Amino acid sequence: MDPSRSSVILVFVGLYMGMCVAVGLWALSRTRSTRDFFMAGRDLGIWVTGLAVFSSTMSGFGFVGGPGLVYRMGMTSVWMVMSIPLGYVLCFALLAKRIRLLAELKEPVSLPDAVAARYGSEGCRFLAALAILLGVMGYLATQILAMATVLRDLVAGAGFGDFSMEACVAFSCAVLVFYCVTGGIIASVYTDLVQGLVMVAAAVLVFLATANVAPGGWSGIVSSIASDDAGSMSPWGTMGAFQGLSWYLLFILGVAGQPHVVTKMMMNRRIEDAKYILPVSALGYGVSALLWISIGLAMRALVIQGIHPELSGADSAAPQFLAHYVPPVLAGIVFAALFAAIMSTADGFLNIGAAAVVHDIPRALRGRSLGNELFWARTATVIIAAVASIFALYSGDLVAILGAFGWGTFAAALVPVVALGLNWKRATALAAKTAILVSLSINFAFRLLDVEVPWGIDPGAISLLVSLTLFVGISLASRTPVLDPDIERLMDT
Amino acid sequence: MAWLLVVLLAALILVLGVLIVNGARSNWGAVDHPQFPTMQRSGWSWESNDPLLAGVWLVGALQIAVFLCLLGLGLAGRKGLGPLRVPLLLGGLLHAGLFSWMILAHLFPIAPSLWSFPPPTMVMVFFLWILPPCYFVILYVVVFDRWILNRESHRHFREFLRSRKGKGSG
């Protein structure tokens, strides 16, 4: 990349990181209790919650991995982004009211807290916290690795020398940890607000830019890909119908099991705001998804037409496009948006991971959480970031395995337990524990043994179907549980 | 609703199980691109009478039914779905109808043309992607005050919370 171009991009990334530090300092004075640190004092407005919900769903994977998937396999991965707005609808229908009422009734500071309150079971709390912690470590490590890789390429491109991965991990984590430790979830959601706006702006500008990069505009892009391989431009892409449909299922149903999304539904000021938060989140995601599809298709067409040389890897589709086909200022905005996408997901994971370590697991094991919880929450945030960084740097393939494991694990383990459990009085603690254990086992077995399912069906979708069926089946076969009267009242509202 | 969900989930597992067990055409996926190693090409093509197309439709339709059933579970009040049943079913019909149109467009390419997208992709990108989420989001917004969180039950819950807090502090 041209060094002056890299310098412009670095300035934008630097400005963005400076903003994150400033928000962290501002949020420090507003974080006085564990409830502030984990639940933002349940005082968030419509825009902040709506944008935080969508920006924590659209991770770095959406900005780098997504275009790479479209470049590699054509339309198959579009089923993932198509499903998320419907996933929000389902998630809001199942959870927005109930979990927000539960937040007022039982004052939970985490999702496992809500699970324990629903089932009256410390075993359910422990297993939910365990599933969250496992998913968080994998997801967080992949986000940190992506952030450090992009930063190292940018610094090298600007002519500042070849920094080690360790140095880039340390720098990018330092900014992330600073605002997460000082301001907890308050800093996280307010940076999410800016991050969401940056992502939407970047996606619209990039979509407009892609229309002019190839001869014939969008028609030229589409027809050149289709003439090379008609299947890649069909709705199923190169991977076929069942892979696309398994992603459609996993991502529609799975949103309601993502702890970094669901916990934000406990944080809005007024329950009634849910009806406005849903359109904000769905529209925000829908617009920023334009970047996913437009860069991927444009780069595939440019390489097929011989305008751009073959890429070194599919994941370089987005960086290569930004380096060569958009003005430096726009590239700067998009790179800032990329860091925003990564950090907005990572900060949510740090927060829920810290809650699992200092609040949920101690409560499940010893019946009470740690003393001076706010201090330990801040300490745990630093420790989790450090462990995830070491994991990202030195664990090799395990990061990729756990990264892929993340969404499917959350979906299969938590959708039945949380989303169905809060809407169905017959659901039992035994069914909840079984669903979490079986989903973890299936997901780990598939990923560790590298099992390839025929037709490309995603193992996460299989695990989700099995855990849902077991959850409902075991509950129906069990005696109707006696519910806590408060929970019964909540479920009748 | 729970029994319907179990039946739909079991049907979906059964159909996918049959597919997996009879995976003779399981190489029905991607192959390496002969010219560009970082890209894939599709290793499959539709035939006009391909029975697999019916399998794809069945899996998609069952998934839409599961989605709708879960949505109904979330929106149902103490007395069930009540008047929400009709708009919910209409949304399901819209979703399933667009999905079916996309499948049929493989055989009968009837779809408006924009940006040279093949007809099924055109239906997917400009209709299936946009219309069902728009419909369900609008439905959620419109029925929220009257059905999802009506003032009466919300007021009762607030009173319950207040009395509970009063007892706690007393």
Side-chain angles (χ1 to χ4, degrees), chain A residues 153-198:
Chain A
D153 290 351
L154 280 178
V155 171
F160 291 112
D162 206 4
F163 280 75
S164 67
M165 273 305 277
E166 283 83 355
C168 293
V169 163
F171 178 76
S172 43
C173 268
V175 175
L176 176 69
V177 168
F178 177 81
Y179 77 80
C180 287
V181 166
T182 53
I185 198 72
I186 297 179
S188 167
V189 290
Y190 280 94
T191 48
D192 284 357
L193 170 74
V194 180
Q195 288 156 353
L197 292 172
V198 172

Side-chain angles (χ1 to χ4, degrees), chain A residues 71-72 93 97 104-105 219 222 228-229 231 233 236-238 241 245 248 275 300 310 420 455 469 472 486, chain B residues 6 13 19 28-30 33 37-38 40-42 44 63 73-74 95 106 115-116 121 141 145 148 158 161 164:
Chain A
Y71 167 83
R72 184 171 165 75
K97 178 180 77 174
E104 289 198 23
L105 188 64
S219 285
V222 170
D228 174 67
D229 172 31
M233 266 326 294
W236 317 113
T238 61
L245 286 178
Y248 200 46
K275 70 174 172 180
R300 189 172 172 110
E310 161 75 341
L420 275 188
W455 309 97
T469 311
V472 181
D486 289 352
Chain B
V6 171
I13 289 176
L19 274 168
W28 193 83
H33 196 289
T38 54
Q40 295 171 336
R41 282 177 66 122
S42 49
W44 54 273
Q63 289 187 185
L73 195 69
H95 196 177
H106 286 90
W115 288 344
S116 305
T121 315
V141 173
D145 289 330
I148 297 172
R158 292 249 166 256
L161 271 182
R164 201 171 161 275

Side-chain angles (χ1 to χ4, degrees), chain A residues 136-162:
Chain A
V136 160
M137 291 311 289
Y139 248 139
L140 197 57
T142 51
Q143 301 295 319
I144 288 170
L145 201 59
M147 198 158 52
T149 307
V150 176
L151 190 66
R152 189 173 67 162
D153 290 351
L154 280 178
V155 171
F160 291 112
D162 206 4

Side-chain angles (χ1 to χ4, degrees), chain A residues 352-366:
Chain A
I352 57 171
V357 169
V358 303
H359 183 80
D360 297 310
I361 293 177
R363 281 195 94 140
L365 296 178
R366 348 182 285 165

Side-chain angles (χ1 to χ4, degrees), chain A residues 119-137:
Chain A
Y119 295 98
S121 159
E122 290 302 320
C124 288
R125 179 206 295 278
F126 178 77
L127 288 173
L130 183 69
I132 287 174
L133 200 57
L134 285 171
V136 160
M137 291 311 289

Side-chain angles (χ1 to χ4, degrees), chain B residues 143-154:
Chain B
V143 303
F144 190 90
D145 289 330
R146 203 178 316 158
W147 197 257
I148 297 172
L149 188 68
N150 66 58
R151 279 191 194 148
E152 191 65 7
S153 63
H154 192 195

